Amino acid sequence: MTTWANMNLQDSASPIMEQLIFFHDHALLIITMVLAVVTYLITMLMQSDHTNRFLLEGQLLEVLWTVTPAIILIFIAAPSLRLLYLMDEIHYPAMTMKTIGHQWYWSYEYSDFTKVEFDAYMIPQEEINGFRLLDTDNRVTLPMNSHIRIIVTAADVLHSWTVPSLGVKVDATPGRLNQTNFIINRPGLFYGQCSEICGANHSFMPIVIESISTNDFTEWISKLSE
């Protein structure tokens, strides 16, 4: 869970989020190097009393400042395209869950099992024991180390189902089914919120995922199915 003092991303709880953090650091390093070189060159030119005549017109220089950015973009684009493929491709999920955005709460359906569905509302401030504006009365319970597919839609307006520590952000669009997948690699509670400005109570439709072992999940879903 993040705190107010943190400047970095939240700790990852899925392989995809780990890769996203690695890519963020990779791109940030390249950007920092480019900024340092450009700042150095600008500073040297401003301090110089004379201008090199080859700087104003030089075929070699023009080739260099055209080819070098292209090579830098390749180093950024290659891991980016790989990540996009990994995030979009879904192979044989262990289970599927459907989430529906409403004004202003989420509802969930575990359609792989007998009819298990519930709504998740934000806990009012006077009743809360956990995080303010982030806890819900019903938590989404999922098994860890399992390939999970999430199908997302909305019943009224645009929403966005977002859990930063899992690297998940999916638009919930009325009349359309979007999907994504993830694997939770550790137990715990993971918090998210609607990331689409969906109306007056946009800030009050949180998401709470509770990751537990497969055996505990089997017991939990069996009790709900009775």
Side-chain angles (χ1 to χ4, degrees), residues 24 36 54 135 149 165 169-170 210 225:
H24 168 269
F54 294 109
D135 253 327
R149 176 174 64 174
S165 57
K169 184 174 183 178
V170 192
E210 183 175 1
S225 302

Side-chain angles (χ1 to χ4, degrees), residues 151-154 171-178:
I151 297 176
V152 183
T153 188
D171 287 339
T173 307
R176 181 183 178 90
L177 294 177
N178 291 327

Side-chain angles (χ1 to χ4, degrees), residues 84 86-93 95-99 147-153 161 168-173 176-182:
L84 284 172
L86 290 174
M87 295 171 68
D88 193 54
E89 199 67 20
I90 300 177
H91 291 297
Y92 309 112
M95 64 166 289
T96 299
M97 186 184 72
K98 183 178 181 181
T99 176
H147 191 183
I148 299 164
R149 176 174 64 174
I150 302 291
I151 297 176
V152 183
T153 188
W161 198 80
V168 175
K169 184 174 183 178
V170 192
D171 287 339
T173 307
R176 181 183 178 90
L177 294 177
N178 291 327
Q179 67 174 0
T180 189
N181 69 110
F182 56 82

Side-chain angles (χ1 to χ4, degrees), residues 32-90:
T32 304
M33 292 171 61
V34 170
L35 180 64
V37 171
V38 171
T39 303
Y40 171 77
L41 291 175
I42 291 175
T43 304
M44 294 302 295
L45 286 172
M46 291 176 63
Q47 292 179 348
S48 176
D49 295 332
H50 305 285
T51 302
N52 191 318
R53 65 189 181 91
F54 294 109
L55 191 63
L56 298 177
E57 184 177 353
Q59 293 296 324
L60 178 61
L61 187 62
E62 291 182 8
V63 170
L64 282 176
W65 71 39
T66 302
V67 173
T68 303
I71 295 173
I72 292 172
L73 288 175
I74 290 173
F75 276 95
I76 295 176
S80 174
L81 292 174
R82 172 180 168 273
L83 256 180
L84 284 172
Y85 174 79
L86 290 174
M87 295 171 68
D88 193 54
E89 199 67 20
I90 300 177

Side-chain angles (χ1 to χ4, degrees), residues 126-226:
E126 57 272 11
E127 302 175 13
I128 200 164
N129 289 321
F131 292 105
R132 177 178 173 269
L133 303 182
L134 284 178
D135 253 327
T136 58
D137 55 356
N138 290 311
R139 293 171 174 171
V140 180
T141 304
L142 295 173
M144 58 182 288
N145 295 325
S146 299
H147 191 183
I148 299 164
R149 176 174 64 174
I150 302 291
I151 297 176
V152 183
T153 188
D156 35 53
V157 298
L158 289 173
H159 300 279
S160 184
W161 198 80
T162 306
V163 183
S165 57
L166 298 179
V168 175
K169 184 174 183 178
V170 192
D171 287 339
T173 307
R176 181 183 178 90
L177 294 177
N178 291 327
Q179 67 174 0
T180 189
N181 69 110
F182 56 82
I183 299 172
I184 306 175
N185 55 19
R186 58 186 172 93
L189 292 176
F190 309 107
Y191 296 88
Q193 289 178 303
C194 175
S195 295
E196 190 77 44
I197 299 177
C198 57
N201 292 325
H202 154 70
S203 302
F204 307 106
M205 47 186 303
I207 302 160
V208 183
I209 294 181
E210 183 175 1
S211 173
I212 58 178
S213 68
T214 305
N215 291 336
D216 290 340
F217 175 78
T218 304
E219 293 180 11
W220 177 82
I221 201 73
S222 297
K223 290 178 182 178
L224 289 184
S225 302
E226 292 176 353

